[in-house]
Amino acid sequence: MNRIVAILLLLLTVSSCKNETAKTTDTTSGATKKYDSLIYPEETHFKSMRQVTFGGDNAEAYWSFDDKQLVFQSNNTNWNVSCDQMFLMDANQTFTDSIAPPMVSTGKGRTTCSYFMPDNKHIIYASTHLGDDACPDTPLRKNGKYIWPIYDTYDIFVADLEGNIVSQLTNEVGYDAEPTVSPKGDKIVFTSTRSGDLELYTMNLDGSDVKQITDELGYDGGAFFSPDGTKIIFRSSRPKTEQEIKDYKDLLAEGLVEPTDMELYICNADGSDLRQLTDLGNANWSPFFHPSGEKVLFSSNFESERGFPFNLYLIDIDGKNLTRVTHSTTFDAFPVFSNDGKYLAFSSNRNNGGGRDTNLFIAEWQD
C-alpha cells in the first residue's frame, strides 16, 4: 500500500519555508546534490545531509546488509511508472527528475515495502501484479476521513537485483505485505489478513514456518526487528469503543483502514511480552530501532493541531526520554538507519519548493 498518499493530503495547503540552498554537481551522474544547508538549526543529530531524489513520492528506502545499496519505492511519473514500483540505488548515488535508477520490480500492479535479503543479492517486496497488470484504484477518503487501501491481491515475492522474481513467499487469500527481515538474517515479519484481521506474522526466509505473533483487534503493521533480532516494533490502531470497533471492522470489510490514530507497540520476536510503547495521540508510525537497540526513532504528528507537520522523534524502549529529532514544517517519516549506524535514510517534503513531492534524504547521524 502507498502509505504516503493519504498523509500528503494533509499537507496540500502547506508550503516549505526552507530557502534555496547552494548546489554542487555530482560529476558521476550529472545530478544535483544539496548538503548541510538542508539541515534545520535544531536538528543536532544530523552532521550532514544530502538529497537523493528530486520529484515524485519516494519512500521506504532500506539498506542492504553491507550498506552499499538501498532499495526504495517511487511513483515518479518521469521514471515511466503509474504507481509505486521498486528501484535500486548505490548508497552514494543521487537522481534527478529525469535520471531514473534501475527498476527492480516488474512494473506491473502496485508494489510496497521492499527489503534486502541477507545475501545482498535479492530483495523481498509485496506486489498486486498477480491480480492485475494495471495499478489498482487508490481511494483516499471515505465519509470525509483519510483512508489507506489494503489490497487483497498483495503477495510477497523474492526478486534478484535485475528484477527477476525467483520465488513467491505467500499465496493466501487476502492482504500479505509489509515484509522486513531480521538483522540476524533468519526471519521475516509481515502483516496479513489471513486470520480475518490485520495481524503480524513471522516466517523463515523461504516462506516456511509461518507463525502469528499478534492477535488483538486492530491494524498491526510496519514492523521491524531490533538490531539483535530479539524484539519487534510496530504501529497499531487498536480500536477500543463499540463505535471504534464497528468503524474499523466496516472499513476492513471494504479493504480499507483509517491511519489517523495509531500508537507504537513493542514485543519479543515471538510475540511475547507485548506492550504499548507510546500513548501520544494522533498518528505515531514508521518506527525503526536506533542502532543501540535501546531507542526507537519514529514519525508523529502528536504535536500538530491540524494533522501536520510530521516530525521524527526518539524514545527509549521503556517509553521514557521522548525527544524531537527533526523540525520540519511539513513531513518527515520512514527513518531507517544503516546497519553500521552511521547514516539515516528518510523521506521528507523539505526543499521541494512548496510543492507536494516527497523525496529521499540521507543524513550522517550523530548521537
Side-chain angles (χ1 to χ4, degrees):
M1 139 187 89
N2 185 346
R3 299 186 184 90
I4 306 172
V5 175
I7 300 299
L8 288 179
L9 287 176
L10 299 171
L11 309 177
L12 296 183
T13 59
V14 182
S15 297
S16 172
C17 64
K18 195 71 173 172
N19 294 327
E20 286 297 313
T21 58
K23 301 179 180 180
T24 61
T25 300
D26 178 354
T27 57
T28 301
S29 66
T32 300
K33 292 183 178 179
K34 302 187 178 184
Y35 287 94
D36 300 55
S37 51
L38 294 170
I39 303 172
Y40 292 96
E42 304 92 339
E43 295 176 339
T44 57
H45 283 291
F46 300 150
K47 185 177 180 181
S48 66
M49 185 184 298
R50 64 183 175 91
Q51 186 168 343
V52 175
T53 63
F54 290 83
D57 293 333
N58 308 271
E60 299 197 67
Y62 299 114
W63 301 83
S64 57
F65 276 61
D66 60 8
D67 289 332
K68 293 181 178 180
Q69 293 180 295
L70 296 98
V71 61
F72 67 98
Q73 68 188 47
S74 178
N75 65 3
N76 191 336
T77 56
N78 290 328
W79 294 354
N80 297 317
V81 297
S82 300
C83 58
D84 287 335
Q85 295 293 330
M86 297 303 167
F87 294 88
L88 181 70
M89 61 172 284
D90 291 337
N92 61 354
Q93 282 186 294
T94 299
F95 301 95
T96 66
D97 209 19
S98 59
I99 301 177
M103 186 189 302
V104 288
S105 53
T106 64
K108 300 176 181 179
R110 181 186 296 274
T111 66
T112 190
C113 304
S114 57
Y115 214 86
F116 266 92
M117 298 293 267
D119 65 0
N120 298 310
K121 297 178 181 179
H122 295 85
I123 60 168
I124 55 171
Y125 67 94
S127 176
T128 66
H129 71 270
L130 292 185
D132 198 318
D133 286 356
C135 296
D137 292 335
T138 307
L140 300 177
R141 289 177 180 267
K142 185 175 180 62
N143 299 326
K145 296 180 179 180
Y146 297 101
I147 53 174
W148 283 343
I150 304 295
Y151 301 117
D152 61 8
T153 51
Y154 265 134
D155 273 302
I156 299 172
F157 302 86
V158 178
D160 62 27
L161 300 189
E162 284 72 48
N164 303 303
I165 291 177
V166 299
S167 65
Q168 181 177 343
L169 298 186
T170 64
N171 54 20
E172 298 283 335
V173 175
Y175 180 84
D176 288 299
E178 307 177 37
T180 64
V181 182
S182 170
K184 291 173 62 177
D186 61 340
K187 292 288 183 179
I188 294 168
V189 62
F190 66 103
T191 295
S192 177
T193 55
R194 63 187 63 194
S195 72
D197 191 19
L198 285 156
E199 305 287 4
L200 293 182
Y201 294 77
T202 59
M203 60 181 169
N204 293 335
L205 299 188
D206 63 0
S208 64
D209 194 27
V210 176
K211 295 180 179 179
Q212 183 175 342
I213 63 168
T214 61
D215 61 1
E216 294 184 36
L217 185 69
Y219 172 27
D220 298 338
F224 295 90
F225 288 92
S226 59
D228 63 3
T230 63
K231 294 181 175 61
I232 289 174
I233 184 74
F234 64 97
R235 62 165 181 261
S236 183
S237 58
R238 297 296 168 90
K240 299 298 183 184
T241 68
E242 286 188 14
Q243 188 61 51
E244 289 173 346
I245 292 172
K246 181 181 184 303
D247 291 345
Y248 172 78
K249 288 183 174 180
D250 288 348
L251 282 175
L252 187 60
E254 298 183 51
L256 304 169
V257 293
E258 186 180 352
T260 53
D261 185 10
M262 296 185 292
E263 299 291 348
L264 302 184
Y265 288 74
I266 191 170
C267 63
N268 293 330
D270 62 0
S272 63
D273 194 25
L274 175 68
R275 57 188 172 84
Q276 186 172 338
L277 180 62
T278 64
D279 188 16
L280 300 172
N282 288 356
N284 304 275
W285 64 306
S286 67
F288 199 87
F289 276 95
H290 180 272
S292 67
E294 298 301 318
K295 299 175 182 291
V296 171
L297 187 61
F298 66 100
S299 180
S300 178
N301 65 344
F302 81 93
E303 293 185 296
S304 309
E305 296 182 0
R306 296 180 294 169
F308 57 84
F310 280 82
N311 276 289
L312 301 183
Y313 298 83
L314 268 175
I315 191 170
D316 292 349
I317 59 172
D318 62 3
K320 298 178 181 179
N321 298 319
L322 177 69
T323 58
R324 184 169 169 180
V325 173
T326 65
H327 291 261
S328 172
T329 58
T330 53
F331 177 84
D332 291 329
F334 306 108
V336 180
F337 283 101
S338 58
N339 294 281
D340 63 11
K342 295 179 179 180
Y343 295 94
L344 181 78
F346 69 104
S347 296
S348 179
N349 290 138
R350 66 183 66 199
N351 198 46
N352 66 3
R356 303 177 186 177
D357 291 340
T358 302
N359 288 299
L360 295 180
F361 295 78
I362 294 180
E364 188 178 3
W365 181 265
Q366 55 188 7
D367 284 318

